[in-house]
Amino acid sequence: MAYTVTPTPAGPVGSQYCVCKVELSICGQNLLDRDVTSKSDPFCVLFMEVNGKWVELDRTETAVNNLNPAFAKKFIVDYHFEEVQKLKFALFDQDKSSMQLYEHDFLGEFSCTLGTIVSSKKITRTLLLGNGKPAGKGMITIAAQELSDNRVITLSMAGRKLDKKDLFGKSDPFLEFYKPGDDGKWMLVHRTEVIKYTLDPVWKPFTVPLVSLCDGDVEKLIKVMCYDYDSDGGHDFIGEFQTSVARMCEAQDAFPLELECINPKKQKKKKNYKNSGIIIVKSCKITRDFSFLDYILGGCQLMFTVGIDFTASNGNPRDPSSLHYINPMGTNEYLSAIWAVGQIIQDYDSDKMFPALGFGAQLPPDWKVSHEFAINFNPTNPFCSGVEGIVQAYSACLPHIRFYGPTNFSPIVNHVARFAAQATQQEAASQYFILLIITDGVISDMDETRHAVVQASKLPMSIIIVGVGNADFAAMEFLDGDSRVLRSHTGEEAVRDIVQFVPFRDFRNAPKETLAKAVLAELPQQVVQYFKHQNLPPINSEPA
């Protein structure tokens, strides 16, 4: 059992596209007892696979004389949806004060992906010994939590009878919000817009992360300063006050909170000084700005469907020049694309049963062309078990079909859209559908496909298109609305961009992970965008 021990991993583990950080809590149950006179003294070590090697990330504390430890120390890991992040949790019985793991008795280990943990939120699994057999009755429980404060605060502010600062008119007031910095100085957090020529301004409501405004601490004092705007930058100070988010939250729509705006210099000079006007908190609301991981941890399932192009332009699958030819290594561009996307998505679907559909082929026995057929030839149950099941069904169907045409996308897009439409009945964010289409070329039914995509943009659904071979993929780029909004042939605009197109040829010589990253890069924000637009919270969300 070879472990590489590098307490400080060389370079960052994972890519620079860190979605967020996840905190993992570890408990052990019924651990092996390796000590003769007392119980084991277990600690847990977390490893991550980096370039095929297990690299140590962190360790928990040691739980003395305890076969059912709940470790206080948490593991914090950067989470990247578009990568397969393999983790190993190894438990040892501490025998010496050595940092070398071979000096301690091994109590068992468990390996899985980070995706498996976050999609279940909490998992309990059997610990295994080096030979793959169970470590007695030993079990490990791993619970995941997102490490981010996703609360945002929306403030609606106004002023009344502010001091007049301009000689020939009224003031042009704006507000600045400050929080105490680590160095003890006030740090600017937010500045409102300027309202011209008034002593009774009403500012536009604004929203900022709660962490930005008060470090997430609603009792922390914040300072609000009011100025009269001058175009030369020499803004005149009107007054200030200190308050807290907790205090501002007392404001309700019918009962605004009024705070005196004080100018300390004037207060010292004038005996009968009252204030320099009133700042009114009209409303103050704290809500949650849910992230992709909130939805996944809340139990949202990603429903994965594959659509495979079996048109004649791919070439005869028995001919080595064909895109469907399976080479001696047992692969081709279609299979590479299925593996790259499927191995990541499958962690987020609890039953791992995926419909796999084909289009553009003639089917036995009557050799009619079909643009949506189950590649396992079972129309009532087109589901394949895991990515391996899709790969097996694909390889098995090749000798039994005739490649034909045309290349029609819309039937398969509409097929998945029907299921996504049923999911819109949900009260919370429980399902999101992903259609992977792998194709070698030009779409024949462009108008129908554009219309289908525009309609699908209203549903919990995203479409990933991987173009294989060397054809002209201009039409695919057109469907991928990164540069402009996609319109149907009737002129209707897509509500959001749901298509991600990637040409496989750009990744032929790159490590296989890079294709998955490129293909799945936009998916987390597409999921969040849909559920936010529908005002759907995660299934198990807590109130703000």
Side-chain angles (χ1 to χ4, degrees), residues 216-387:
D217 178 357
V218 294
E219 300 298 339
K220 184 174 272 192
L221 273 185
I222 55 175
K223 181 160 80 166
V224 182
M225 302 183 78
C226 183
Y227 288 94
D228 166 39
Y229 174 82
D230 276 338
S231 54
D232 64 2
H235 311 307
D236 297 319
F237 176 62
I238 294 176
E240 66 181 33
F241 61 90
Q242 290 187 18
T243 184
S244 67
V245 168
R247 179 86 209 282
M248 290 195 290
C249 280
E250 293 168 15
Q252 302 293 333
D253 292 336
F255 305 101
L257 177 69
E258 302 200 346
L259 298 155
E260 287 190 302
C261 197
I262 303 294
N263 182 327
K265 282 185 183 170
K266 278 192 173 182
Q267 197 176 31
K268 273 185 185 165
K269 280 184 189 169
K270 294 184 176 178
K271 277 194 173 164
N272 58 351
Y273 174 82
K274 205 169 167 198
N275 58 49
S276 293
I278 302 288
I279 299 293
I280 304 155
V281 183
K282 291 165 65 182
S283 81
C284 172
K285 288 193 175 71
I286 296 176
T287 50
R288 289 195 182 273
D289 186 17
F290 295 113
S291 69
F292 173 69
L293 202 49
D294 286 321
Y295 287 108
I296 296 298
L297 287 169
C300 180
Q301 297 279 300
L302 300 184
M303 317 298 281
F304 180 46
T305 301
V306 179
I308 300 172
D309 179 343
F310 291 113
T311 54
S313 52
N314 282 278
N316 183 331
R318 286 182 287 280
D319 184 335
S321 65
S322 166
L323 291 165
H324 280 291
Y325 174 74
I326 297 177
N327 65 29
M329 306 285 290
T331 187
N332 62 29
E333 293 191 359
Y334 279 89
L335 287 169
S336 297
I338 290 167
W339 274 115
V341 179
Q343 66 174 347
I344 288 179
I345 301 276
Q346 70 175 354
D347 281 345
Y348 299 88
D349 185 327
S350 55
D351 68 4
K352 302 192 177 7
M353 297 298 291
F354 308 121
L357 308 171
F359 60 93
Q362 294 174 317
L363 305 187
D366 54 5
W367 305 108
K368 280 192 177 146
V369 177
S370 172
H371 295 294
E372 68 178 286
F373 64 91
I375 65 169
N376 65 1
F377 299 118
N378 185 346
T380 55
N381 183 8
F383 295 92
C384 302
S385 176
V387 183

Side-chain angles (χ1 to χ4, degrees), residues 407-470:
T407 309
N408 290 354
F409 275 21
S410 59
I412 277 188
V413 173
N414 289 328
H415 176 100
V416 176
R418 283 195 292 277
F419 290 95
Q422 287 171 7
T424 57
Q425 311 304 315
Q426 60 199 19
E427 298 283 300
S430 59
Q431 290 182 324
Y432 192 92
F433 290 77
I434 293 142
L435 169 60
L436 168 64
I437 298 177
I438 314 168
T439 179
D440 79 323
V442 185
I443 304 176
S444 310
D445 64 339
M446 191 61 181
D447 281 356
E448 291 84 352
T449 297
R450 275 164 56 193
H451 184 72
V453 170
V454 167
Q455 298 313 309
S457 71
K458 304 167 191 170
L459 301 171
M461 175 173 168
S462 288
I463 301 167
I464 295 163
I465 304 174
V466 175
V468 294
N470 294 314

Side-chain angles (χ1 to χ4, degrees), residues 65-79:
N65 273 341
N66 193 340
L67 301 182
N68 298 285
F71 296 106
K73 165 116 187 240
K74 314 292 185 196
F75 293 133
I76 293 168
V77 184
D78 287 353
Y79 167 73

Side-chain angles (χ1 to χ4, degrees), residues 134-193:
K137 294 181 178 172
M139 308 285 280
I140 186 170
T141 298
I142 308 158
Q145 187 175 358
E146 183 175 3
L147 262 199
S148 71
D149 188 337
N150 59 11
R151 291 173 298 170
V152 293
I153 181 166
T154 303
L155 281 164
S156 190
M157 311 285 293
R160 190 174 72 238
K161 293 186 179 166
L162 298 179
D163 282 0
K164 181 179 156 202
K165 289 287 181 185
D166 293 350
L167 216 52
F168 301 109
K170 298 181 175 177
S171 293
D172 306 318
F174 67 93
L175 298 177
E176 288 186 341
F177 291 74
Y178 291 83
K179 70 177 178 187
D182 294 337
D183 56 1
K185 293 178 182 158
W186 289 102
M187 189 171 114
L188 178 64
V189 175
H190 181 77
R191 182 183 288 123
T192 67
E193 78 280 17

